[in-house]
Amino acid sequence: MANPSPLLDFDVAALSQKLRAKEISPVELTQAYLDRIEAVDERIISYITVTADVARELARKAETEITAGRWRGPFHGVPIGLKDLCYTKGILTTGGSKILGEFVPNYDSTVWTRLREAGAVLLGKLNLHEFAYGATSSNPHWGTCRNPYDLDRIPGGSSGGSGAAIVARTAAATIGTDTGGSIRIPAACCGCVGLKQTWSRVSRYGVMPLSDSLDHTGPITRTARDAALMLNIIAGHDPNDATSSREPVPDYTSRLGGDLKGMRVGVIRELNTGISEPVSRAFNAALKQLGSLGATVEEVSIPSFTEGSLVAMVVLMAEALEFHEQWMRERPDDYGADVRSLIETSMTITAVNYVRAQRERNLMLAEALTALQDHAVLLAPSQTTAAPRIDDSSYDIIANMVRFTGPSNATGQPAVSIPTGLSNEGLPLSMQIVGKPFDEVMVLQVADAYERARGPLPLPKL
Amino acid sequence: MAKLTPQTAKAMAQELYGYELTDEAAVAVANAAGAMITHSRRLGNLDLNGVQPPFGYPTLLAEAERIRKRG
């Protein structure tokens, strides 16, 4: 196999400078990514649909505009992928399902509209766990998505394709969605950055729902800076999504590049138990690194987070049942076994279960805000272990994979997953940085400072 | 621990959703339901009386307006 193009080595921040300076052609860059997809994606299955013609057309347009001096911003001419839950007008949008296996939307999701208007180039629609309802991305209808660091392991999910594509270099940046951890889990398993911003910060219009109260749409990228650049484009009120926030949108890159002097950060006691030795070792090393950057690291307690993922799951399952109820009645055999089983389980959730879980979210956020009164951000490992094997049927996904991520869905707080290194087996490990609502600037500041101190991770050998 | 029988789980799925649970699925669903009911009872013991669940009136107004405009 030919060596991958050196153009694939650049993150979005570097690419945008080179594209703007006309040192790189968007057409050449897009072709390099399409060649990479052709070369490796048969093994990874990060894509469900590759939109090569659309990509080439958008790249040509970007080249014409940039050449004429009409640079639109950091994503102009940058090749990206969208989780196949995001509507794209005239392009197959399956939700990773058989049920929507031929669905072609007649309008665009707002997230794609904003990225398209910013000049991004769409490489295709990324693989995911069926209907985003699971964390393995072992998709029975479109192929099992695999972890580029070890093809026998899961990439996490539900946005598995979005995470795998970043480290396999089959996209420069991607969009994922997160209801119980579906951006942060694949970012953790694959060794990239996944940002679940504050609930309502990014429009959900045209994104297939899993659970309206908990769904988020956000970036999966190589670096914290790239996540900030992407959030700059997709954040903000959308008249088509009544729940989208009218809070002013700051420049999310504004505090990148600094240190953490004088900052107090809190380690969440309840989310730092029952973890594997490699996760623990890497997490403790990361805490030490934060200390060397000037932060004071202290332990905080948020008792309601102990069962926070269960609260999130009750809400998620109840709302997901409402979306799937008709298909379950009419086409149950068209669901994969695990998703079908989750929907079946939802059928006994009572109204009392649901309302109490919703009300509990207030208490969880109140306790988190108390901890954040004296601390800039809160920290926890993203996952209890490194990515499990695809064939490990004994692995309890809900108990392990959603345990540390679900609480931030229930509270709606911003949370980023960032790699803390590789295990001795060569598998990515990671931590979460959780902030105050709408304080993504702070979350990204800490992530960026840590990331620069940590240095680059070795790439997977594909 | 609250208990729901597999028969009850089957009946709920059938009566409420017109859906046939297999015997095997009914056992799993009944167990999960028991755990969720227990959790719910625990939440019910917390002092959250009078605390509103997070459903916002601005969203209600905005969505009503969107539906009205749709006709």
Side-chain angles (χ1 to χ4, degrees):
Chain A
M1 188 189 303
N3 285 332
S5 165
L7 296 179
L8 305 179
D9 292 340
F10 300 115
D11 59 27
V12 174
L15 275 179
S16 69
Q17 287 180 4
K18 291 179 182 299
L19 286 162
R20 187 182 194 184
K22 303 179 192 104
E23 292 168 21
I24 291 179
S25 141
V27 172
E28 200 185 333
L29 177 66
T30 298
Q31 192 55 52
Y33 272 101
L34 291 171
D35 291 345
R36 177 68 172 171
I37 293 168
E38 181 75 27
V40 303
D41 209 50
E42 201 177 3
R43 286 178 285 151
I44 308 290
I45 316 190
S46 64
Y47 283 87
I48 288 177
T49 304
V50 177
T51 53
D53 291 342
V54 172
R56 290 192 188 102
E57 186 188 326
L58 290 171
R60 278 195 299 272
K61 188 178 174 205
E63 185 146 308
T64 304
E65 290 174 346
I66 293 171
T67 304
R70 297 198 302 275
W71 187 67
R72 297 193 195 196
F75 271 80
H76 203 174
V78 173
I80 65 158
L82 296 173
K83 185 176 185 178
D84 203 22
L85 212 58
C86 303
Y87 282 24
T88 40
K89 187 178 177 181
I91 298 169
L92 183 68
T93 300
T94 68
S97 70
K98 181 177 178 183
I99 287 171
L100 295 176
E102 295 177 5
F103 174 60
V104 177
N106 58 8
Y107 65 94
D108 284 325
S109 51
T110 296
V111 74
W112 170 232
T113 300
R114 290 187 176 176
L115 284 162
R116 182 169 41 74
E117 287 172 354
V121 171
L122 181 66
L123 291 166
K125 307 296 292 294
L126 293 156
N127 200 356
L128 67 154
H129 204 105
E130 180 182 8
F131 282 122
Y133 207 171
T136 66
S137 303
S138 297
N139 190 308
H141 314 296
W142 300 95
T144 294
C145 186
R146 292 172 183 273
N147 191 317
Y149 278 93
D150 180 343
L151 298 180
D152 291 329
R153 292 178 185 267
I154 65 164
S158 65
S159 314
S162 304
I166 296 298
V167 292
R169 301 292 196 249
T170 54
T174 62
I175 287 288
T177 65
D178 191 318
T179 307
S182 289
I183 285 174
R184 290 159 290 153
I185 295 168
C189 290
C190 293
C192 49
V193 174
L195 172 64
K196 179 204 84 67
Q197 70 292 320
T198 310
W199 189 82
S200 78
R201 179 70 295 181
V202 172
S203 170
R204 294 178 293 120
Y205 178 70
V207 180
M208 237 171 262
L210 175 57
S211 161
D212 289 318
S213 298
L214 305 173
D215 287 345
H216 303 67
T217 306
I220 301 184
T221 55
R222 293 188 196 177
T223 66
R225 181 174 291 276
D226 284 1
L229 290 170
M230 204 171 205
L231 188 59
N232 275 348
I233 293 167
I234 62 176
H237 178 68
D238 173 13
N240 287 318
D241 177 358
T243 65
S244 64
S245 174
R246 292 177 187 273
E247 282 280 315
V249 177
D251 176 0
Y252 293 105
T253 65
S254 60
R255 291 228 296 267
L256 305 184
D259 60 27
L260 307 178
K261 283 197 175 73
M263 192 180 280
R264 289 173 72 189
V265 300
V267 176
I268 305 170
R269 183 188 303 156
E270 289 76 8
L271 303 188
N272 192 20
T273 62
I275 53 181
S276 70
E277 193 276 330
V279 170
S280 174
R281 189 156 28 88
F283 183 56
N284 288 326
L287 298 181
K288 209 169 164 186
Q289 190 97 59
L290 291 173
S292 70
L293 291 167
T296 302
V297 181
E298 299 165 326
E299 190 177 64
V300 299
S301 177
I302 307 180
S304 60
F305 273 27
T306 305
E307 291 194 330
S309 61
L310 189 52
V311 168
M313 283 307 295
V314 169
V315 174
L316 188 161
M317 290 168 79
E319 294 184 357
L321 174 62
E322 190 270 333
F323 182 70
H324 287 282
E325 185 254 342
Q326 191 172 348
W327 285 328
M328 269 297 272
R329 200 170 49 237
E330 295 170 357
R331 304 176 61 179
D333 294 336
D334 288 341
Y335 283 94
D338 62 337
V339 173
R340 182 173 171 173
S341 171
L342 277 169
I343 299 173
E344 286 175 344
T345 303
S346 315
M347 290 178 177
T348 53
I349 293 178
T350 65
V352 173
N353 274 170
Y354 177 72
V355 174
R356 280 188 185 157
Q358 286 283 15
R359 187 174 277 120
E360 169 74 357
R361 295 172 64 189
N362 296 297
L363 177 65
M364 292 173 65
L365 183 55
E367 288 183 359
L369 291 175
T370 300
L372 282 161
Q373 266 185 333
D374 300 321
H375 298 92
V377 292
L378 305 176
L379 307 164
S382 302
Q383 293 288 282
T384 56
T385 66
R389 296 178 65 85
I390 289 169
D391 58 6
D392 186 354
S393 57
S394 66
Y395 196 82
D396 186 335
I397 297 292
I398 302 300
N400 288 295
M401 305 204 82
V402 184
R403 189 176 144 217
F404 294 163
T405 54
S408 305
N409 293 84
T411 62
Q413 292 169 269
V416 68
S417 178
I418 185 159
T420 49
L422 299 184
S423 69
N424 290 339
E425 293 175 287
L427 298 172
L429 306 164
S430 62
M431 69 172 168
Q432 283 184 98
I433 302 166
V434 182
K436 297 183 181 83
F438 297 103
D439 198 5
E440 285 82 3
V441 168
M442 179 70 78
V443 166
L444 288 163
Q445 179 189 349
V446 177
D448 167 72
Y450 168 71
E451 185 178 69
R452 283 181 291 110
R454 185 207 62 208
L457 291 185
L459 284 172
K461 295 180 181 69
L462 283 170
Chain B
M1 163 100 173
K3 282 199 175 160
L4 197 74
T5 64
Q7 290 74 17
T8 306
K10 280 185 97 155
M12 283 177 79
Q14 175 60 47
E15 301 283 333
L16 299 177
Y17 301 105
Y19 182 83
E20 290 293 339
L21 280 177
T22 63
D23 289 345
E24 194 185 3
V27 171
V29 170
N31 286 337
M36 281 189 286
I37 292 165
T38 304
H39 178 242
S40 176
R41 286 180 187 165
R42 230 173 15 248
L43 294 184
N45 290 332
L46 299 172
D47 184 20
L48 292 176
N49 287 339
V51 172
Q52 296 300 304
F55 308 119
Y57 193 62
T59 303
L60 174 59
L61 283 174
E63 288 297 66
E65 185 61 17
R66 205 155 68 101
I67 294 167
R68 191 186 65 75
K69 280 182 182 158
R70 206 164 60 188

